[in-house]
Amino acid sequence: MAKIALFGATGTIGTRVLREALDRGHQVTAVVRDPAKLTEQHPNLTVTTGDVLDPASVAAAAKGQDVVVSAVGGGDGPGHVATIKPAAESLVAGLRTLGDTAPRLITVGGAGSLRTPDGKLVWDAEGLPEFLLQIMHAHGDALDFYRTVSDVRWTNVSPAGLIEPGERSGTYRSALDDLVVDAEGKSRISAEDYAVALIDEIETPKHVGERFTVGD
């Protein structure tokens, strides 16, 4: 079983990742700014205070762990711009201080930079609102940064075009840079099945040093 440090454990995706990890017997340290916001209790759960934007805080949380997972978001568009790439840079900087003992890094990405079946990128679709474009490009900028990193074992997990709370089926399909769509051309996944895919990647690493995506 893995020792996992989880940033963003109180968010929509983070809470599902936390539950999936605990249900599968992993030991999780939830790193949060306000411990009072995390009401989950479990024998394998430890809650500690930390800041994903502070490399020293990242290093302290990561020490002795097998994997660091970042499920942090930014709320609205400007919040993502201010959070996602800076968090990526902070996570890598913090892990670099641990040298060869640094754990793996797995981060929640976005769908905007995925290729659609017509060969365009998701964020090139007409009529997307500005706040959504900001969120998409914030994740894209973070992915561009990760792709320059060779001394930290990173993995970026992009969701389907639509991700929202739902049911856990335990099944999903995956791809690298192409949007996963169904027979009707729709791209979606429940936050629960996204968490399944992320924990599967922890248990059976297949995508070290690259981005992959999942959909129903």
Side-chain angles (χ1 to χ4, degrees):
M1 294 297 101
K3 294 181 179 178
I4 303 168
L6 173 62
F7 288 89
T10 60
T12 299
I13 296 177
T15 54
R16 272 75 180 179
V17 171
L18 175 62
R19 171 47 50 194
E20 183 70 22
L22 292 174
D23 284 350
R24 286 158 74 163
H26 298 293
Q27 295 182 14
V28 183
T29 298
V31 189
V32 295
R33 285 178 294 181
D34 182 3
K37 291 185 177 181
L38 186 61
T39 57
E40 183 87 22
Q41 293 186 334
H42 192 280
N44 285 352
L45 173 62
T46 301
V47 181
T48 188
T49 303
D51 182 0
V52 73
L53 298 178
D54 177 4
S57 184
V58 169
K63 189 173 183 179
Q65 305 288 338
D66 298 310
V67 186
V68 171
V69 174
S70 176
V72 297
D76 59 9
H80 275 76
V81 173
T83 304
I84 302 302
K85 185 181 179 184
E89 294 170 335
S90 175
L91 286 159
V92 169
L95 291 175
R96 278 176 171 154
T97 68
L98 300 180
D100 293 341
T101 66
R104 283 186 69 195
L105 172 63
I106 300 181
T107 58
V108 173
S113 59
L114 294 167
R115 280 190 302 264
T116 61
D118 63 5
K120 297 180 180 180
L121 300 183
V122 172
W123 61 37
D124 291 330
E126 294 183 4
L128 294 176
E130 180 60 25
F131 83 90
L132 186 56
L133 286 169
Q134 288 178 317
I135 292 172
M136 288 180 173
H137 282 284
H139 282 291
D141 290 345
L143 178 59
D144 286 343
F145 167 71
Y146 285 127
R147 284 174 165 163
T148 71
V149 175
S150 60
D151 56 341
V152 170
R153 295 170 296 152
W154 63 271
T155 300
N156 187 256
V157 190
S158 288
L162 175 64
I163 180 170
E164 59 187 359
E167 298 296 324
R168 182 192 187 281
S169 73
T171 63
Y172 56 89
R173 292 177 294 141
S174 63
L176 293 181
D177 295 313
D178 293 299
L179 189 71
V180 177
V181 299
D182 62 17
E184 299 175 350
K186 295 181 179 180
S187 178
R188 55 197 165 196
I189 194 166
S190 69
E192 288 76 8
D193 281 339
Y194 176 93
V196 171
L198 192 150
I199 301 301
D200 282 352
E201 176 64 23
I202 290 177
E203 293 179 353
T204 308
K206 296 179 180 179
H207 300 287
V208 176
E210 65 184 13
R211 180 261 294 273
F212 75 103
T213 183
V214 292
D216 288 338

